[in-house]
Structures are given as structure tokens and as C-alpha cells.
């Protein structure tokens, strides 16, 4: 494809409720929305999932914008024609840019598929037309408040609950939710908040029949996760540590993880996500689609991915209303605990331009010089 321009916006959307994790409390979602226009006038959309601070990943919103402007897009523009499949080869030497690269690659892929009149789901090899939804529940101010929030989600139809945990907010809240809904699939996410010495503490969670414990230790501590997996019966699932198919292969080989959370932004895009999916299918490892509090733009693409056959566990692909009063696309509404996989060309959704403009704080146009 021949790229005419990239337009990158910073947007700010209030969350319907604060989202507290072991790494931060978010009240708003600040992120980058990318619009690519080809020389033929086809448009492609994506969002960059980097958070506003480098607390989940080394990448953060302003840094991702800077690296796109200074390095990634100028390098792309050295080529008269470039395909989304070539982005990793061309830009992969810029280290620590998975989320930025994923956004660029996805906007290109969206434009390409729109031109070919093919949906992302079909392109990736989706076998489902709807995806089972879980919900990620933040750390609450009390156990009563947590139970109230979870009961709301269960009433809405969510089919799996994920509780954020940290030292001091683990055994008791998990026990309270487990005892209130003993048959509801339940898992926890620590976002790296524990240390190698916490094996005995985390093993106490084995009582609650959890699907998995997500990323208990530091993202670089693969050995620690492998050791921990011998101390706890609950499966360990890596999130932050899995930044590529190579990282996935190594972590599986070392038995540091027996389930994988795939997030396209974290691994550098949908091609890499598909490679991890295929590896896991080959090895009989269950995968599920994580989330980064995406708007409808990122959510649409994640639903396409989550429709692949290896995604056998419900993901963090929740309905728009879980996050935002008003989404930037037609809202994703859950029916009986499922979201429909978009079938229109590309990612299958378009932003509401008036609304998008109203929440844009800055807009940058990047063209070949
Ligand atoms: O660790 O999975 C995580 C949100 C932002 C950053 C990291 C994580 C999360 C979530 C929410 O858990 C997932 C979602 O609902 O989009
Ligand atoms: Mg996680």
C-alpha cells in the first residue's frame, strides 16, 4: 500500500468508575487514536493501548507518540510502498515499541482489509461469530463494595470474573466472591505485585478453584514464575512477560506459564498475536484475549482475534458500558454474556467523528517530507 498520511490524536475518556490495580488508579483513559489514509483515499483506524504512565509496560502514551513521530513513521515513509506484514521486519529494531508498532500495523491492516472488502476476523481465521465475555474488576474500597460491583456484573451476564489483587487485598476478597458465587468461573490478576517469597501466601488461593493467577511476579522473573508454579496448584498465566512469540515459547518450555493472555498491543500486533495463538494451539495451551480498557476501535479488533479457535477461555473483552458512558464507536452491547464479532470490512467499526473530535486534546498530522 502507498501511505499518504497518519493522523494521531490524543483522546481522553472518563471511565464509568475508577479502575484500581496494584500499579495505579485510573479515572480516565488517555490514549492515542490513529487514522491512516492511503494514496487511494482508503482510511484505516487503530488505537495505541499504551497507558498514560509507564506502570504496566515501559511504553506510555506520550513516549509512544514521540517514537512514532521520530522513528517509526519516518522509517515507514522511506518506502514508497509497504504492507502491514512488513512492519515488524522494518521497525522491529526500534526496541520497546510493541504498542506503538502494533497501532501502526493495525491501522495499515485495517486500510488494506477495507480495500479488499474482508473482515479482520475472516483474515485472521476466526471460527466463532460471538465471543464469551469476562470482566476485570478493580481493587475496591471494601469487600462489601466489591461484592456489590461483582453482583452488578453477574446480573449483566458476564461469564467469568477476574479480580485484581495485591498484597493485603487477596485471600479475603477472593474468598468472599468465591463463597457468594461458587460456580462462577473466577481468576485473579496481580500485575507483578508479589515476590518470590510469596509462594505460601498465593498457595492459599488454591482453595477457591481459580482458573488461573495472572502475572504474580515481576515481568522479567520467568524463573520465579516457574518455581512458583511448583508451589501453587492454580495455573499461572503470564501477561506482562509475554511480549513476543519467542517469549511465549520460552516461558512455556520453562513451565513458567500454562495459560497465556494475548494482548495485541503488548506483543506488537495481530500477526504476532496469531503466531502466539498458533503456537499455543500446537502445544495444547489455552489462551484468552486480554484488554487494555480499549475504546470500540481496539475492542473491535480484539473481538476478531478472540474469535480464533484457540481462545477457549473468556477474555477481558467486556461491553462498552463496562468502561465508558459513551464509546467512540457504536457501543458493543453484551447479549447473554457474549459480544458479537464484527463482520464488516477491516476492524468493522467506524468512530463517531463528532464525538471523537469532542474528546481530542491534540491532533498531529504526519506526512512524508
Ligand atoms: O493487567 O490485564 C491487565 C487494564 C489495563 C492494563 C492492564 C490490565 C488491564 C485489565 C483490564 O485488567 C482489561 C480490560 O477490561 O480491558
Ligand atoms: Mg493482566
Amino acid at each position: 500500500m502507498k501511505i499518504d498520511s497518519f493522523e494521531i490524536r490524543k483522546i481522553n475518556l472518563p471511565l464509568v468508575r475508577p479502575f484500581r490495580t496494584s500499579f495505579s488508579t485510573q479515572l480516565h483513559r488517555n490514549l492515542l487514536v490513529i487514522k491512516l489514509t492511503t494514496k487511494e483515499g482508503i482510511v484505516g483506524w487503530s488505537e495505541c493501548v499504551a497507558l498514560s504512565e509507564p506502570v504496566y509496560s515501559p511504553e506510555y502514551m506520550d513516549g509512544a507518540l514521540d517514537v512514532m513521530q521520530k522513528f517509526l513513521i519516518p522509517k515507514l515513509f522511506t518506502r514508497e510502498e509497504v504492507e502491514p506484514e512488513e512492519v515488524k521486519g522494518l521497525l522491529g529494531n526500534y526496541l520497546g515499541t510493541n504498542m506503538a508498532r502494533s497501532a501502526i500495523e493495525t491501522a495499515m491492516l485495517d486500510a488494506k482489509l477495507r480495500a479488499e472488502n474482508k473482515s479482520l476476523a475472516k483474515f485472521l481465521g476466526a471460527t466463532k461469530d460471538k465471543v464469551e465475555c469476562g470482566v476485570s474488576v478493580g481493587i475496591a474500597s471494601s469487600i462489601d463494595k466489591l461484592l456489590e460491583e461483582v453482583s452488578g456484573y453477574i446480573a449483566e451476564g458476564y461469564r467469568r470474573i477476574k479480580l485484581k489483587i495485591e498484597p493485603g487485598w487477596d485471600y479475603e476478597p477472593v474468598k468472599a466472591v468465591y463463597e457468594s458465587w461458587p460456580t462462577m468461573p473466577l481468576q485473579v490478576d496481580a500485575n507483578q505485585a508479589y515476590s518470590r517469597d510469596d509462594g505460601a501466601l498465593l498457595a492459599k488461593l488454591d482453595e477457591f478453584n481459580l482458573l488461573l493467577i495472572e502475572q504474580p511476579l515481576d515481568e522479567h522473573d520467568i524463573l520465579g514464575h516457574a518455581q512458583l508454579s511448583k508451589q501453587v496448584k492454580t495455573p499461572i498465566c503470564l501477561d506482562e512477560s509475554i511480549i513476543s512469540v519467542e517469549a511465549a515459547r520460552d516461558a512455556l518450555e520453562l513451565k513458567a506459564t500454562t495459560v497465556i493472555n494475548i494482548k495485541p498491543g503488548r506483543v506488537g500486533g495481530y500477526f504476532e498475536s496469531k503466531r502466539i495463538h498458533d503456537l499455543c494451539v500446537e502445544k495444547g495451551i489455552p489462551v484468552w484475549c486480554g484488554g487494555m480498557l480499549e475504546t470500540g476501535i481496539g475492542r473491535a479488533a480484539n473481538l476478531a482475534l478472540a474469535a480464533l479457535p484457540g481462545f477457549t477461555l473468556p477474555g477481558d473483552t467486556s461491553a462498552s458500558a463496562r468502561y465508558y458512558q459513551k464509546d467512540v464507536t457504536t457501543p458493543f452491547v453484551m447479549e447473554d454474556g457474549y459480544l458479537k464479532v464484527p463482520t464488516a470490512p477491516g476492524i468493522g467499526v467506524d468512530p463517531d467523528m463528532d464525538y471523537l473530535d469532542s474528546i481530542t486534546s491534540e491532533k498531529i498530522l504526519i506526512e512524508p517530507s
Side-chain angles (χ1 to χ4, degrees):
M1 67 169 58
K2 294 183 178 171
I3 301 171
D4 182 64
S5 66
F6 282 94
E7 181 194 85
I8 308 179
R9 330 165 156 242
K10 285 190 192 181
I11 68 162
N12 183 340
L13 266 179
L15 289 164
V16 291
R17 61 164 61 84
F19 186 58
R20 180 170 159 212
T21 61
S22 63
F23 60 77
S24 77
T25 302
Q26 288 174 265
L27 304 174
H28 298 262
R29 186 66 169 103
N30 287 101
L31 54 81
L32 304 173
V33 170
I34 319 293
K35 176 188 175 192
L36 168 152
T37 308
T38 68
K39 296 254 193 247
E40 294 80 36
I42 309 271
V43 165
W45 291 97
S46 70
E47 72 184 74
C48 177
V49 298
L51 302 180
S52 50
E53 297 173 66
V55 285
Y56 162 79
S57 61
E59 288 182 274
Y60 62 102
M61 184 182 73
D62 287 338
L65 175 59
D66 192 61
V67 85
M68 282 187 212
Q69 282 186 273
K70 286 203 180 102
F71 300 102
L72 304 183
I73 294 176
K75 182 70 179 278
L76 215 51
F77 282 155
T78 63
R79 296 272 301 269
E80 185 119 340
E81 272 192 63
V82 59
E83 298 305 315
E85 289 83 351
E86 299 175 292
V87 170
K88 189 183 180 192
L90 200 59
L91 306 181
N93 61 320
Y94 293 117
L95 306 177
T97 60
N98 280 4
M99 292 176 177
R101 262 196 295 118
S102 173
I104 287 174
E105 184 185 282
T106 306
M108 292 170 66
L109 185 55
D110 183 38
K112 179 181 162 125
L113 294 174
R114 284 179 197 248
E116 292 173 2
N117 212 13
K118 189 178 218 175
S119 71
L120 178 61
K122 196 162 215 163
F123 174 77
L124 292 173
T127 52
K128 297 177 256 183
D129 58 10
K130 60 181 188 177
V131 165
E132 216 181 354
C133 300
V135 59
S136 176
V137 186
I139 294 168
S141 54
S142 69
I143 289 183
D144 283 349
K145 285 268 187 319
L146 176 72
L147 294 178
E148 189 184 311
E149 186 178 340
V150 171
S151 76
Y153 292 135
I154 289 174
E156 285 169 46
Y158 284 100
R159 290 170 170 266
R160 182 224 69 192
I161 301 294
K162 158 170 146 182
L163 301 180
K164 290 291 189 177
I165 59 167
E166 65 180 7
W169 182 264
D170 40 40
Y171 184 82
E172 294 300 334
V174 176
K175 178 178 160 76
V177 171
Y178 173 72
E179 286 177 351
S180 301
W181 298 280
T183 58
M184 172 59 64
L186 184 62
Q187 63 192 53
V188 295
D189 187 0
N191 290 109
Q192 319 183 52
Y194 292 86
S195 74
R196 285 189 183 187
D197 305 329
D198 289 324
L201 196 160
L202 292 168
K204 283 175 65 188
L205 300 177
D206 287 341
E207 282 177 42
F208 308 127
N209 196 25
L210 302 177
L211 289 169
L212 54 93
I213 303 179
E214 192 178 340
Q215 197 73 43
L217 309 180
D218 185 88
E219 63 172 332
H220 301 109
D221 195 4
I222 302 304
L223 177 62
H225 283 101
Q227 290 168 340
L228 184 64
S229 73
K230 294 184 191 147
Q231 286 175 276
V232 300
K233 291 202 185 70
T234 307
I236 306 283
C237 169
L238 293 178
D239 172 355
E240 284 90 325
S241 302
I242 307 298
I243 58 165
S244 62
V245 68
E246 291 80 11
R249 186 177 293 122
D250 291 355
L252 289 171
E253 189 71 32
L254 295 167
K255 301 197 164 39
T257 193
T258 51
V259 183
I260 288 182
N261 162 342
I262 302 182
K263 286 184 188 171
R266 194 193 65 225
V267 305
Y270 289 86
F271 295 111
E272 192 75 359
S273 297
K274 166 96 163 110
R275 285 191 279 271
I276 297 174
H277 163 272
D278 294 351
L279 170 75
C280 290
V281 168
E282 183 195 311
K283 296 196 173 292
I285 295 293
V287 300
W288 55 282
C289 185
M292 289 292 292
L293 312 175
E294 283 91 347
T295 73
I297 296 172
R299 188 164 314 284
N302 284 351
L303 288 168
L305 179 70
L308 268 62
F311 286 79
T312 52
L313 292 170
D316 283 345
T317 45
S318 309
S320 295
R322 148 72 186 90
Y323 310 95
Y324 307 114
Q325 202 72 254
K326 182 169 161 57
D327 206 336
V328 305
T329 60
T330 306
F332 282 96
V333 178
M334 202 168 52
E335 276 170 47
D336 194 26
Y338 289 85
L339 285 182
K340 284 210 181 78
V341 179
T343 53
I347 63 170
V349 296
D350 291 293
D352 169 340
M353 290 312 296
D354 290 337
Y355 185 56
L356 195 60
D357 284 341
S358 75
I359 55 171
T360 298
S361 62
E362 206 179 323
K363 194 156 82 178
I364 295 146
L365 185 70
I366 310 174
E367 294 172 303
S369 47

